[in-house]
Amino acid sequence: MGDGFWMRRATDAIAAAAEALFPPNDRGAPDWLSADMVRRTRRWLSELPPESRRLVTLLFVATELAAPLLMPALGRFSRTSPRRRLRAMQRWCDSRFAPLRFFGTALESTMKMMYLSHPDSMRYVGVYKTTAHPDDPLQVEVRPDALSARTPAGSP
Amino acid sequence: MIERFDSVRQGYALEADAVVVGSGAAGAVAAANLAEAGLRTVVVEAGPPVDPSDMSRDGPRFMARYYWEGGLRMLTGSAPIPTMQGRCLGGSTVVNSAIMLPLPRWVREEWAAEEGLPWLLEPALDRAFERVFARCKVAPTPMTVMGRRNELALEALAAAGIPAGPLPRAVEGCEGAADCITGCAGGRKQSVDRSYLPHALRDGARVMTCSEVDGILTEGARATGVTGWVVDPVTRERTARFSVRAPKVILAAGVMASPVLLLRSGIRGGGRVGATLYAHIGAGAMGVMEEVVDPWIGATQGVGAISAEIRGMKYESLWAATNLIAARWGALGARFYDQLQDLRHATVVVVVYRGAVHGRVRARRNGLPAMKLTIPQSEIDTTMRGLRPAVEGLLAVGARYVTTSIHGLPKTIRSPAEVDALVSGRVRARDIPMTANHVFGSCRMSADPRRGPVDPEGRVRGVDGLWVVDTSVFPSGSAVNPQATCMAVSDLLTRRIGGLTT
């Protein structure tokens, strides 16, 4: 994917939103850097069909450039503090004005979807599976006996 | 023979007796029947084949590759509602939960009476369901692969006075991987690329993948084939034109693509093509239990129930790729990390409702559909009325709290007294995080030409040699998961086209 003006602005927004949403922590959860948010989100964008790619890119560009319109007193999204960015996203998600809320929740779900697609995030959540996917780039722990080892409710 | 991108990238021109557009639930059945009838049959599928090695638990990336519009397709109207359809060999049957329920008798009677379709009440349709169920190896989900998440859903529904049970699914030897939505890498799901297309291939059908139809060829008032672009499955670039000439053209491209294809070909059915659209609406409740549930194992949708209280309402357990189902979960910022730990304790019950919703489909200039759906407030109120016992049931079986992610309601419901908010009448369609994957009726079948562009035999009025056999022809919502009905209707119609016994 080329790095023209719009893609650079979209990338700014991805990084800025990820930094605010997934900060460094002492809980053992991966933060936005260790979850490789920017690179993976851009890779996902590049794999989307063109129409959807444009739509999601527009979401990020609007986050970066239209943030002052969406929340007065907020400057360009990536140039404000992570705390203010988080507060802005929270306001958008909770807005009573439905279009703004859809904008906020689209941003939220995109970022959370990408965050939870990293193996370290899956490990932090505790996800494991009963079957192996040897060719899957997203490897999760496999416990083949996890279902058979337990006694189903209602069994004798 | 299944032709992959490498063998079709330069384009092609074929002749056949019948061409089937789409390889999903309807198209694969059509192809198998027409090939069995001895017709030289060609199937054209927009997407690529999905091999087990292509399947991934990375939900967003899998959807980007194998769902229409990368999984970001939306209905507009009362609210933006995601609607997901598979874009791959086997269509949505590759990426759904494989639930197979017969069309309820009351829906058959309603459709037969309202649209003049007496065959819906005839034993031939029962035999079609039997054939479909046998070939797809439909069986109730075994308790051994339920996992605690499905068991809790069962217990919660029972506590709410809703007798639920194992759902019948097209799965043989389920491993309980809960990966249905991102493809069954173990090959246990009997999606039509496994259950039907091999029969079509055995009888000589050719399957052309990565071939996106953009027009129906006609001569006078007769369909003579289809044409379109070969599309690179990775870059999405168009590489060459193709055409398939055949005196029988069967549209099985789905509720969105079939009407768009007709409209782009100038076939408007007196203004009725795309003039109607129906969908199942719904809502969900996630209960967070004291006990560890580990919801990521166990059948994706193992249990369900038909509501005795609200006609057309159904309850189901649910999971999906964790990175998809948790995309709207929890708070923003550092608190999200704490809440993620609660996912291990989660179980989900959803309601699916055949409300009196209506809409339409139009063709956008880029060839994609634009869909609008209007949901009356009364149907949202009914959906909330149906959700209430699900929430109460989850609390009754020990949920510490329940979340519905409905805007304007408390973020968590912790006691039965708080459940009243659901039925306060204040919830609007735009407040509910809803998905509508069951869509119908964009080329309605009716004996009355003023009500539908497709006649009771599946023929498109005004164009000889052209049929529609997918869920586009449903007169309205099926009230249950539509795959079995879609396959049975396609089976019956295409056996008649091929002259096979029904």
Side-chain angles (χ1 to χ4, degrees):
Chain A
M1 195 188 303
D3 250 5
F5 175 81
W6 299 114
M7 186 46 65
R8 287 201 304 275
R9 296 297 80 76
T11 304
D12 290 344
I14 293 167
E19 184 187 19
L21 289 169
F22 312 111
N25 63 94
D26 55 8
R27 297 166 175 82
D31 63 21
W32 69 289
L33 285 172
S34 55
D36 199 10
M37 287 294 291
V38 176
R39 187 189 67 80
R40 290 190 308 107
T41 305
R42 287 192 46 150
R43 183 183 62 186
W44 172 67
L45 268 177
S46 73
E47 290 172 347
L48 284 170
E51 300 79 13
S52 301
R53 188 185 312 149
R54 278 193 287 273
L55 191 69
V56 182
T57 304
L58 182 64
L59 171 76
F60 288 123
V61 170
T63 303
E64 174 65 3
L65 298 182
L69 301 175
L70 299 172
M71 187 175 165
L74 191 73
R76 204 153 119 180
F77 191 71
S78 64
R79 293 184 188 167
T80 192
S81 71
R83 200 160 142 257
R84 293 192 73 194
R85 277 179 242 151
L86 187 65
R87 202 181 324 145
M89 286 188 280
Q90 189 70 66
R91 279 214 198 164
W92 300 338
C93 289
D94 291 340
S95 174
R96 293 175 66 183
F97 181 53
L100 186 55
R101 189 166 72 246
F102 299 143
F103 177 86
T105 53
L107 185 62
E108 172 199 5
S109 50
T110 302
M111 300 309 290
K112 286 184 175 175
M113 197 167 71
M114 297 314 302
Y115 177 79
L116 289 167
S117 300
H118 190 276
D120 289 348
S121 308
M122 299 282 261
R123 203 169 300 124
Y124 174 73
V125 171
V127 174
Y128 63 88
K129 287 289 185 174
T130 53
T131 57
H133 255 210
D135 300 313
D136 190 350
L138 178 56
Q139 286 294 312
V140 298
E141 182 189 351
V142 176
R143 297 185 202 169
D145 302 329
L147 280 170
S148 55
R150 59 187 300 281
T151 306
S155 295
Chain B
M1 179 188 295
I2 296 174
E3 304 286 359
R4 292 168 177 260
F5 176 65
D6 283 342
S7 59
V8 298
R9 68 160 71 225
Q10 304 294 337
Y12 55 88
L14 299 175
E15 292 201 357
D17 297 323
V19 58
V20 179
V21 182
S23 69
V29 172
N33 284 341
L34 297 173
E36 182 187 338
L39 300 179
R40 289 176 305 143
T41 301
V42 173
V43 179
V44 283
E45 164 58 50
V50 192
D51 298 321
S53 59
D54 298 326
M55 293 174 182
S56 172
R57 286 163 175 155
D58 188 336
R61 291 188 76 193
F62 183 84
M63 289 171 72
R65 291 178 199 159
Y66 299 116
Y67 280 60
W68 277 102
E69 300 182 48
L72 302 177
R73 181 172 272 183
M74 290 275 178
L75 300 166
T76 60
S78 296
I81 303 173
T83 179
M84 290 179 262
Q85 287 93 36
R87 185 181 182 274
C88 55
L89 188 68
S92 294
T93 70
V94 175
V95 295
N96 68 13
S97 301
I99 297 168
M100 298 284 275
L101 290 161
L103 188 64
R105 186 76 194 174
W106 64 271
V107 180
R108 288 170 71 164
E109 288 170 353
E110 182 187 296
W111 287 359
E114 289 184 357
E115 304 303 339
L117 307 172
W119 60 265
L120 282 160
L121 302 176
E122 292 169 3
L125 184 59
D126 298 313
R127 290 194 291 273
F129 272 107
E130 287 166 14
R131 278 190 294 272
V132 166
F133 279 43
R135 190 166 284 183
C136 294
K137 300 171 182 168
V138 173
T141 307
M143 288 306 291
T144 48
V145 296
M146 288 293 186
R148 189 63 185 136
R149 167 176 47 82
N150 283 301
E151 290 171 4
L152 278 165
L154 202 59
E155 293 166 15
L157 289 169
I162 301 167
L167 282 168
R169 301 178 309 149
V171 183
E172 186 182 41
C174 180
E175 297 172 297
D179 284 334
C180 291
I181 310 301
T182 49
C184 183
R188 307 308 173 108
K189 179 158 63 176
Q190 299 301 300
S191 44
V192 293
D193 56 325
R194 293 187 162 272
S195 55
Y196 269 87
L197 286 175
H199 290 268
L201 295 168
R202 184 199 62 198
D203 289 331
R206 287 185 77 178
V207 179
M208 318 300 287
T209 65
C210 306
S211 300
E212 199 167 313
V213 176
D214 64 8
I216 298 163
L217 301 170
T218 54
E219 287 175 16
R222 173 152 203 94
T224 57
V226 298
T227 185
W229 286 97
V230 174
V231 178
D232 186 317
V234 177
T235 66
R236 313 298 172 114
E237 285 173 8
R238 296 167 163 186
T239 61
R241 296 289 296 175
F242 73 85
S243 66
V244 182
R245 293 198 167 268
K248 289 183 169 59
V249 177
I250 318 293
L251 293 191
V255 172
M256 312 301 178
S258 286
V260 165
L261 195 46
L262 289 168
L263 292 169
R264 294 183 80 195
S265 306
I267 300 167
R268 303 185 179 283
R272 300 309 303 166
V273 171
T276 48
L277 179 70
Y278 306 94
H280 290 160
I281 58 175
M286 183 184 280
V288 175
M289 320 300 293
E290 289 289 353
E291 64 181 292
V292 170
V293 177
D294 288 344
W296 27 81
I297 61 167
T300 303
Q301 293 196 273
V303 302
I306 305 286
S307 171
E309 300 291 320
I310 302 170
R311 185 136 132 159
M313 183 162 287
K314 189 167 167 284
Y315 296 88
E316 293 168 348
S317 59
L318 175 72
W319 198 253
T322 303
N323 35 46
L324 299 177
I325 205 161
R328 290 283 307 277
W329 166 262
L332 304 184
R335 275 199 304 137
F336 180 59
Y337 297 137
D338 298 329
Q339 290 170 329
L340 279 179
Q341 296 295 305
D342 278 354
L343 277 179
R344 290 200 71 187
H345 303 260
T347 192
V348 176
V349 176
V350 295
V351 295
V352 181
Y353 176 49
R354 180 207 197 229
V357 304
H358 58 90
R360 57 151 175 76
V361 179
R362 287 187 185 156
R364 282 152 59 187
R365 271 194 294 185
N366 60 8
L368 292 170
M371 301 82 62
K372 190 172 182 183
L373 190 74
T374 302
I375 307 173
Q377 181 57 37
S378 58
E379 301 299 20
I380 293 299
D381 294 342
T382 305
T383 304
M384 291 298 99
R385 196 154 54 86
L387 185 63
R388 179 183 184 142
V391 174
E392 289 172 333
L394 286 166
L395 290 170
V397 297
R400 279 192 283 131
Y401 64 91
V402 177
T403 65
T404 61
S405 298
I406 295 171
H407 176 74
L409 296 187
K411 302 261 187 216
T412 58
I413 298 171
R414 293 178 184 272
S415 72
E418 294 175 296
V419 181
D420 286 344
L422 289 173
V423 290
S424 63
R426 293 200 311 268
V427 176
R428 301 287 177 264
R430 59 180 180 267
D431 298 330
I432 307 172
M434 195 185 298
T435 302
N437 295 333
H438 301 169
V439 281
F440 323 89
S442 53
C443 302
R444 187 162 59 191
M445 178 184 279
S446 180
D448 181 350
R450 291 167 302 180
R451 288 183 55 82
V454 172
D455 78 6
E457 292 298 315
R459 294 178 294 230
V460 177
R461 290 191 165 93
V463 186
D464 291 340
L466 180 61
W467 288 261
V468 183
V469 300
D470 56 33
T471 57
S472 304
V473 303
F474 286 18
S476 61
S478 56
V480 293
N481 309 65
Q483 183 179 326
T485 304
C486 174
M487 295 174 78
V489 167
S490 175
D491 182 63
L492 193 57
L493 295 176
T494 57
R495 288 181 79 84
R496 287 176 181 163
I497 295 169
L500 300 172
T501 57
T502 58

